[in-house]
Amino acid sequence: MARIVLKFGGTSVGDTDRIKNVARKVKAEVLRGNQVAVVVSAMSGATNQLVKWVNDIAPLHDAAEYDVVLATGEQVTIGLLAMALQAEGVKARSWVSWQIPIRTDGAHAKARILDSMAAGEVPIVPGFQGLAPDGRITTLGRGGSDTSAVALAAALQAERCDIYTDVDGVYTTDPRIVETARKIDKVTYEEMLEMASQGSKVLQTRSVELAMNHHVRVQVLSSFDEALGSDLPGTLVVDEDEIMVQGIEKSVVSGIAFAKDEAKITVTHVPDRPGVAAAIFGPLAEANINVDMIVQNVSLDGSSTDITFTVPRADLARAVERLQKAKADLKFAEVKADTNVAKISVIGVGMRSHAGVALKMFETLAAKGINIQVISTSEIKVSVLVAAEYTELAVRALHTAYELDAA
């Protein structure tokens, strides 16, 4: 008997027919003899409607009451799914976050869930939310249900956490852009973390981090496949050692990710002296604005330089405002902003032991006449910033160059 956590996203439970379909998939795992716990999101569109109502009432709202309102979306879903499972002849019980209780790290939920499983029930719990230390309901942000499911799987020491979504796995790139993209059978935590942080929307970044830290095997698969349960395996996200033990040879490059929600900022004629970079990025950090790619030009006159970096496009206005407020102290010339950019990333653990990956990327883009504006690297990733209009051309060209196209 295996212990498995199943998570179903908003599109998977988007209406009552889909909830009934989810119930059949859960039942299939129960009939296999598995102990099953289920985490669900709010029905697709429900959270957006709740946010709209909050903003209609009070655009500058109380954050604590905002969480109370948004947490109701999952409460509807867990009750409906419990009833759908009962109609299928499966013992099931829904639990709202304060009943268990679900704390931020998920570990406190273990005893109540195990008791429910021992009683032969399928416990159904809400994702996206938990209790703060003061006992108030708090939400985990968009994609938080993935994190909830992985945290629960870690606490229960589950064999696997299955994330059901609207795609049947992790692909070498977005198949809507590259028709020849391939589904990846197994991908390492490190690769999945880079993919998630570089633009892939399949898994939420925090959930991958949590899975890697607690060695939770995660499977991404579609809730819309005809097969029930896990008859059609998706993509497994696992330790690199597990892949190597099975003798599977990893490709040098596993995937191409892209993000079109970035903005580029250039601060010109910054005094070239110690402490200036800290003075520029300090106000941004205080405003919780995440800075990604950074490049500083070589000072030609020995007295000033330019610093270019990227931020999420949604934070661009706040970032520019913060920098303008610091202009008198920093004594730079101006702040230039550009939203017409996209970040393209080549990702793969094979880069650790293979030279020439970056060179191939640069040559491929050059052959297509695509200018590179900024470059950043990590041990298993090379990212470049290009003009947004070249996004699809760049992704297709790189996908072919690294021999990722399906045969």
Side-chain angles (χ1 to χ4, degrees):
M1 177 187 294
R3 186 176 295 160
I4 299 174
V5 173
L6 309 180
K7 180 265 176 177
F8 295 90
T11 54
S12 301
V13 293
D15 55 40
T16 52
D17 286 336
R18 290 183 178 181
I19 290 174
K20 291 176 182 176
N21 178 56
V22 165
R24 289 190 290 271
K25 289 183 178 292
V26 174
K27 180 181 179 179
E29 290 292 357
V30 173
L31 292 177
R32 284 188 172 91
N34 295 324
Q35 283 189 325
V36 178
V38 181
V39 177
V40 291
S41 300
M43 298 167 75
S44 57
T47 301
N48 290 339
Q49 180 61 64
L50 293 170
V51 170
K52 181 179 183 302
W53 286 339
V54 168
N55 290 330
D56 286 347
I57 293 292
L60 298 175
H61 47 259
D62 183 310
E65 300 306 332
Y66 173 88
D67 283 347
V68 169
V69 174
L70 262 63
T72 61
E74 284 74 22
Q75 186 169 333
V76 171
T77 316
I78 61 174
L80 292 175
L81 181 55
M83 288 187 280
L85 279 166
Q86 291 165 4
E88 289 283 340
V90 177
K91 289 178 66 178
R93 183 62 62 206
S94 65
W95 300 92
V96 293
S97 54
W98 61 266
Q99 289 177 304
I100 298 175
I102 299 174
R103 302 291 180 183
T104 306
D105 62 3
H108 293 79
K110 180 177 180 179
R112 183 63 64 90
I113 297 299
L114 288 177
D115 288 345
S116 181
M117 286 178 161
E121 292 179 343
V122 173
I124 306 166
V125 300
F128 177 66
Q129 61 187 263
L131 294 187
D134 63 359
R136 297 285 303 183
I137 288 178
T138 182
T139 58
L140 303 178
R142 293 291 188 173
S145 293
D146 287 355
T147 305
S148 300
V150 172
L152 184 59
L156 297 176
Q157 296 182 316
E159 180 178 300
R160 196 176 70 241
C161 178
D162 285 353
I163 307 287
Y164 282 88
T165 180
D166 53 1
V167 295
D168 61 351
V170 179
Y171 279 73
T172 48
T173 196
D174 190 337
R176 292 171 297 184
I177 289 180
V178 181
E179 293 182 356
T180 54
R182 293 183 288 108
K183 187 171 75 172
I184 305 171
D185 294 329
K186 287 189 177 182
V187 64
T188 68
Y189 294 123
E190 291 88 347
E191 289 171 323
M192 192 66 245
L193 188 58
E194 289 285 9
M195 289 179 185
S197 62
Q198 301 305 319
S200 173
K201 306 299 184 184
V202 177
L203 286 176
Q204 200 259 359
T205 307
R206 283 182 296 172
S207 69
V208 182
E209 274 184 332
L210 195 61
M212 181 166 63
N213 291 338
H214 293 276
H215 304 285
V216 176
R217 300 171 79 245
V218 175
Q219 182 176 211
V220 180
L221 64 171
S222 173
S223 59
F224 301 111
D225 285 334
E226 291 300 318
L228 299 175
S230 303
D231 295 325
L232 289 179
T235 297
L236 276 170
V237 186
V238 296
D239 278 316
E240 185 177 353
D241 290 345
E242 179 176 332
I243 296 175
M244 297 305 179
V245 165
Q246 294 177 349
I248 300 173
E249 185 175 349
K250 285 293 294 177
S251 302
V252 176
V253 170
S254 296
I256 314 293
F258 64 93
K260 301 174 76 172
D261 55 358
E262 303 257 329
K264 182 179 71 170
I265 294 175
T266 300
V267 184
T268 65
H269 296 291
V270 179
D272 191 11
R273 55 180 171 77
V276 170
I280 288 175
F281 296 117
L284 303 182
E286 290 170 3
N288 292 317
I289 297 172
N290 183 47
V291 175
D292 186 14
M293 310 173 83
I294 303 173
V295 61
Q296 179 173 329
N297 294 339
V298 175
S299 176
L300 296 179
D301 57 9
S303 63
S304 66
T305 186
D306 296 344
I307 296 179
T308 298
F309 56 92
T310 60
V311 298
R313 189 175 299 175
D315 292 331
L316 176 61
R318 289 197 304 128
V320 171
E321 180 187 20
R322 287 278 178 155
L323 291 169
Q324 293 290 8
K325 286 181 179 179
K327 184 175 182 179
D329 293 331
L330 294 174
K331 296 181 174 57
F332 58 79
E334 64 177 324
V335 176
K336 297 180 179 179
D338 183 5
T339 58
N340 184 41
V341 294
K343 180 172 63 175
I344 314 295
S345 302
V346 171
I347 299 161
V349 294
M351 292 185 193
R352 293 174 181 154
S353 55
H354 288 78
V357 175
L359 174 61
K360 179 176 285 190
M361 184 181 200
F362 303 154
E363 288 179 339
T364 300
L365 296 177
K368 296 295 183 181
I370 301 173
N371 185 48
I372 297 172
Q373 301 178 21
V374 183
I375 303 168
S376 70
T377 65
S378 75
E379 189 179 26
I380 64 167
K381 175 212 69 184
V382 181
S383 295
V384 298
L385 201 69
V386 301
E389 58 264 29
Y390 293 115
T391 304
E392 295 189 10
L393 176 61
V395 171
R396 291 192 186 106
L398 292 170
H399 197 269
T400 298
Y402 290 107
E403 301 179 356
L404 295 174
D405 295 338

